[in-house]
């Protein structure tokens, strides 16, 4: 069990967020472009994630893969700080001082879901700006008149044309995605970490330090993949649970469509959007961007967990 560590949990989470953006943003850019353009009724389609990546590199260079990264750094760093901090503090509170080393679902799931729900309010506006910056690019898919000069210009134009509610488009969808996704992520992380540490309990201090990095890479990477496996298998699971409506990746697709639309009259109901995509493209359309999401999952989440674990150790936050 973790001891009370106050602000340190939030600092460690912030550093984890920075590591996530550095490692995962290029994959996220490809995912967002696929979700936006490949789900439209008309217009150009990308053949695959590789085709999308090649087009970005050809028209914009490497910097195109990091388009929208400024708002992402600010949003994800703050969001990650809150997520890891709230998760750690809530988990301690629910455990009530009990020295139980084995992960408890009754503690992990509500702590992670609560943290995910809180950060969704921060993440929504920063992701809206990020998605709109990522979608526009420099190619012909977005007319020059509709392009933004930067994240601040995007935020100001959104506020001016769509009002305060416009900057929070997709808030409900973001809340669902973050609550469910983080519950899966932290459940996997805690169990993988626990069982890997059991295997190395007799290691020397030097071996233990090296193994801690390996544990962080594996637990973080596998947790990210677990979320995506949950997403990709969810149509079967959701046959008994509102079909595919609660799946996180389809919710992410719907969120991208909602946030990149500048039409104030367009629907913000993720279920209606997913229904229209399903009618046009079936389940495949609802999982647009799955490839880049899978590829991103391991390195981005491994970087986040390794950074978090390292920061926790440096700052002296004691854990079992």
């Amino acid at each position: 069990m973790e001891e009370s560590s106050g602000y340190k949990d939030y600092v460690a989470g912030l550093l984890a967020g920075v590591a996530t953006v550095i490692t995962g943003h290029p994959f996220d850019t490809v995912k967002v472009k696929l979700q936006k353009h490949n789900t439209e009724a008309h217009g150009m389609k990308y053949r695959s994630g590789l085709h999308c990546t090649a087009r970005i590199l050809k028209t914009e260079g490497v910097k195109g893969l990091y388009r929208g990264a400024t708002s992402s750094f600010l949003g994800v760093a703050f969001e990650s700080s809150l997520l890891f901090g709230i998760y750690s503090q809530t988990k301690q509170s629910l455990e009530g001082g009990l020295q139980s080393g084995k992960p408890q679902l009754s503690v992990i799931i509500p702590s992670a879901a609560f943290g995910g729900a809180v950060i969704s309010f921060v993440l929504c506006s920063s992701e809206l700006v990020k998605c709109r910056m990522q979608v526009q690019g420099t190619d012909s898919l977005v007319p020059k008149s509709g392009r933004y000069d930067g994240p601040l210009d995007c935020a100001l134009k959104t506020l001016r044309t769509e009002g305060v509610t416009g900057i929070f488009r997709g808030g409900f969808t973001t809340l669902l995605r973050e609550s469910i996704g983080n519950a899966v992520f932290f459940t996997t992380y805690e169990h993988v970490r626990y069982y890997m540490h059991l295997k190395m309990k007799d290691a020397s201090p030097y071996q233990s330090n090296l193994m801690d990095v390996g544990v962080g890479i594996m637990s973080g990477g596998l947790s990210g993949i677990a979320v995506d496996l949950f997403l990709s298998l969810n149509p079967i699971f959701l046959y008994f649970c509102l079909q595919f409506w609660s799946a996180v990746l389809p919710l992410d697709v719907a969120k991208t469509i909602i946030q990149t639309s500048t039409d104030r009259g367009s629907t913000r109901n993720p279920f209606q959007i997913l229904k229209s995509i399903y009618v046009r493209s079936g389940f495949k359309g609802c999982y647009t961007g799955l490839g880049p999401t899978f590829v991103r999952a391991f390195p981005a989440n491994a970087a986040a967990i390794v950074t978090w674990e390292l920061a926790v150790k440096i700052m002296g936050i004691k854990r079992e």
Side-chain angles (χ1 to χ4, degrees):
M1 195 185 100
E2 300 170 29
E3 292 185 357
S4 181
S5 48
Y7 74 93
K8 293 180 181 179
D9 286 316
Y10 295 91
V11 174
L14 186 147
L15 295 174
V18 172
T20 301
V21 177
I22 292 173
T23 310
H25 192 81
F27 301 102
D28 188 68
T29 297
V30 174
K31 179 205 72 172
V32 168
K33 280 182 173 286
L34 287 171
Q35 289 177 339
K36 170 63 176 175
H37 299 301
N38 281 24
T39 57
E40 292 179 332
H42 306 286
M44 185 198 129
K45 311 289 184 187
Y46 296 109
R47 293 191 298 273
S48 64
L50 286 176
H51 176 226
C52 181
T53 303
R55 184 178 176 89
I56 294 171
L57 291 172
K58 181 179 179 180
T59 58
E60 305 176 61
V62 176
K63 68 178 183 180
L65 292 172
Y66 280 93
R67 185 170 293 278
T70 302
S71 63
S72 191
F73 268 118
L74 295 174
V76 173
F78 185 43
E79 165 263 318
S80 181
S81 175
L82 284 177
L83 174 62
F84 281 95
I86 291 173
Y87 171 72
S88 297
Q89 299 288 312
T90 304
K91 183 164 163 279
Q92 291 173 36
S93 177
L94 291 178
E95 285 174 335
L98 297 176
Q99 297 292 325
S100 176
K102 191 170 183 179
Q104 304 173 64
L105 290 179
S106 60
V107 170
I108 296 170
I109 292 176
S111 299
F114 176 59
V118 172
I119 65 167
S120 68
F121 294 98
V122 177
L123 201 57
C124 179
S125 56
S126 68
E127 284 215 347
L128 180 139
V129 172
K130 173 188 71 70
C131 287
R132 292 190 176 188
M133 292 296 298
Q134 287 173 319
V135 164
Q136 71 173 11
T138 57
D139 53 32
S140 59
L141 292 174
V142 177
K144 290 184 178 180
S145 60
R147 292 179 184 168
Y148 306 106
D149 296 330
L152 181 59
D153 180 53
C154 177
L156 292 175
K157 283 183 177 177
T158 300
L159 285 169
R160 186 165 58 248
T161 58
E162 302 175 49
V164 175
T165 58
I167 203 73
F168 287 100
R169 290 181 69 98
F172 173 66
T173 312
T174 304
L175 186 147
L176 289 178
R177 186 196 68 176
E178 292 302 311
S179 297
I180 298 171
N182 279 296
V184 175
F185 177 85
F186 279 106
T187 296
T188 306
Y189 161 69
E190 294 285 6
H191 281 83
V192 171
R193 179 180 181 274
Y194 173 74
Y195 287 109
M196 288 188 74
H197 273 292
L198 280 182
K199 297 293 184 181
M200 51 178 268
K201 61 182 179 180
D202 297 324
S204 67
Y206 175 73
Q207 291 175 319
S208 181
N209 287 332
L210 289 177
M211 289 180 178
D212 279 346
V213 175
V215 170
I217 292 173
M218 292 304 296
S219 61
L222 291 175
S223 297
I225 290 176
V227 175
D228 295 332
L229 284 172
F230 175 79
L231 311 181
S232 63
L233 296 175
N234 241 4
I236 300 172
F237 169 75
L238 291 172
Y239 178 78
F240 302 100
C241 187
L242 300 180
Q243 297 180 15
F244 60 89
W245 295 128
S246 296
V248 184
L249 188 63
L251 286 172
D252 189 61
V253 174
K255 183 188 74 68
T256 296
I257 303 303
I258 292 169
Q259 293 188 323
T260 55
S261 173
T262 56
D263 181 4
R264 298 186 69 173
S266 62
T267 181
R268 300 188 187 188
N269 186 325
F271 305 144
Q272 289 183 10
I273 290 172
L274 289 173
K275 183 178 180 180
S276 66
I277 294 174
Y278 176 70
V279 169
R280 287 198 302 270
S281 310
F283 276 123
K284 181 180 178 181
C286 297
Y287 286 89
T288 301
L290 183 62
T293 302
F294 262 121
V295 175
R296 173 187 181 274
F298 196 99
N301 288 287
I305 290 298
V306 168
T307 302
W308 184 48
E309 294 270 11
L310 183 60
V312 162
K313 180 169 290 189
I314 291 174
M315 289 188 291
I317 302 174
K318 295 183 179 180
R319 308 180 67 193
E320 269 195 6

